[in-house]
Amino acid sequence: MPESHDYRMLIAGELVRDGAMLDVINPATARPFAQAPRANAALLDRAVDAACDAFPAWAGQSWAARAAMLSTLADRIEGRSYDLSRLLTLEQGKPLGQAQYEVAQTIGIFRFYAAMTPREQVYRETDAAFIAQDRGPLGVVAAITPWNFPLALLAVKLAPALLVGNCVIAKPAPTTPLTTLLVGELCADIFPAGVIATLVDANDLGDRLTGHPRIAKVAFTGSTATGRRVMAHAAITLKRLTLELGGNDPAIVLDDAPVAATAAQIYSAAMVNSGQVCMAIKRVYVPDALYDEMCDGLAALARAAIVGDGLAADTQLGPLQNEDQFARAKAFLDNGARDGTVIAGGTALPGPGYFIAPTIIRDIDPDARLVHEEQFAPILPVLRYANLDAAIAAANDSEFGLGASVWGADIERATAVARRVAAGTVWVNTHLALDPEVPYRGSKQSGFGAEFGREGLEEFTQARIINVQRTIAA
Ligand code: ADP
């Protein structure tokens, strides 16, 4: 049972706790349901030193040997799927079906990278010379993950980083540490000591980790504000960085989009995980001709949603993950009610958990906070447009540029519009469709560096040119 399990961190190959503990709160009840051990600076340094010690031998193992260990980890996670899914719902809040999906995705990511083979790029191969580029590991990597997808966002860092021969210090968010600790336990008897560490903090060790002189790279997913701080600390030793930060993804509906189907797709890409997704749809632009029908369609879906404890069989939307996020969401509700017309939801639900009714807001002031800032909550503003060029300009008028989508029946026209949108990923007639083979990345202040795909693997490597002249010039 997750409630009574003795959670431990994996440090220097040992499962440890040294006294300090953190309560882990179930957001559906707002009550602690388990405890996690908490690290301090000395434990962090021990984990990093052990990783540095383990690095040469780990980097020296064959690619195939490391890939086999990733496959074994995937099998072990699969064997514990039910426990991990249930634990994910308990600590994160998402409905059990979505937790099961995340666990399946996590397994899929480990298997995808386990099947990848190394590639050398040859630039010249002649009688006189051989010039190629190979890639090696960077060293010790800090993998810092947020509380919305604690397992999948760990997997996209852990799998490629380990495959190419890095050691990894994994630090989950303090409100969702348990699934990461359980993965650490599964790793303990697969990987050599020191290759992987799991470290829980109370949001107090991030600066030490990201500024640590013995860490070569930081792979971070989280808010743009914390991402800026990570970048500043990483600058001290010029660490490599992958930053997957906030988003304010626009959906642009074109005037030939089928309204009912489009509304259903947009609704689910805005509300999945209660809107706590970097790449969720966070604002919708709809042409005059379709505006009322689209607003009514979205509102009907929101009113019909079943909100509740993620462990209950019929729940479609769980709570917000933590109290701070709940407070931020309620402030957005207040602003939204002032700046627009609430046509579904609009309130927090009676507690004790952190529940918000899925909310649709129409006729919103284009300058509203809800339009320009990231709500990270099940609250969707719908904006009306008369002129497509102006709608594209409004969609692009953002400090963020993570994802975006364009919806319409004429695919050529929709694709042409998609090519005018500034974002790392622009979907046409879908949103949030992620695939381990296809890299995603942010533009502007949504971050940089790819995850997924071969590009996501190369982020954890140092490229090296080998330039061979077959004879020494006389
Ligand atoms: P939120 O503000 O919603 O808590 P964050 O972006 O701060 O989101 O959290 C994402 C991850 O970043 C978490 O693992 C968190 O513990 C971690 N974190 C928080 N502060 C720092 C920091 N100064 N340096 C590095 N990581 C940090």
Side-chain angles (χ1 to χ4, degrees), residues 333-411:
L333 283 182
D334 291 345
N335 286 311
R338 199 188 54 221
D339 297 334
T341 305
V342 176
I343 53 171
T347 56
L349 297 176
Y354 309 136
F355 295 103
I356 288 220
T359 298
I360 307 294
I361 300 182
R362 61 170 287 168
D363 301 314
I364 190 159
D365 178 347
D367 295 325
R369 267 191 64 196
L370 192 52
V371 176
H372 287 279
E373 295 178 24
E374 181 179 35
Q375 63 272 47
F376 226 62
I379 308 169
L380 186 64
V382 188
L383 295 110
R384 180 197 290 270
Y385 74 83
N387 173 295
L388 180 57
D389 290 337
I392 296 168
N396 286 337
D397 178 20
S398 173
E399 70 187 34
F400 297 113
L402 197 52
S405 52
V406 181
W407 303 79
D410 178 344
I411 299 304

Side-chain angles (χ1 to χ4, degrees), residues 143-147 171-175 201-210 218 220-227 229-230 233 245 322 324-325 328 376:
I144 302 177
T145 45
W147 42 256
K171 198 206 78 59
T175 56
D201 74 341
N203 273 338
D204 56 342
L205 292 178
D207 292 351
R208 190 175 185 94
L209 192 60
T210 55
V218 180
F220 172 85
T221 305
S223 64
T224 294
T226 305
R229 201 176 161 109
V230 168
H233 282 81
L245 309 177
N322 59 68
D324 287 352
Q325 191 54 34
R328 280 195 280 255
F376 226 62

Side-chain angles (χ1 to χ4, degrees), residues 85-109:
S85 304
R86 200 166 164 273
L87 183 59
L88 183 55
T89 292
L90 280 168
E91 71 173 358
Q92 203 283 331
K94 65 184 63 182
L96 187 60
Q98 288 179 35
Q100 286 168 324
Y101 181 79
E102 184 175 344
V103 171
Q105 217 185 5
T106 300
I107 296 164
I109 293 165

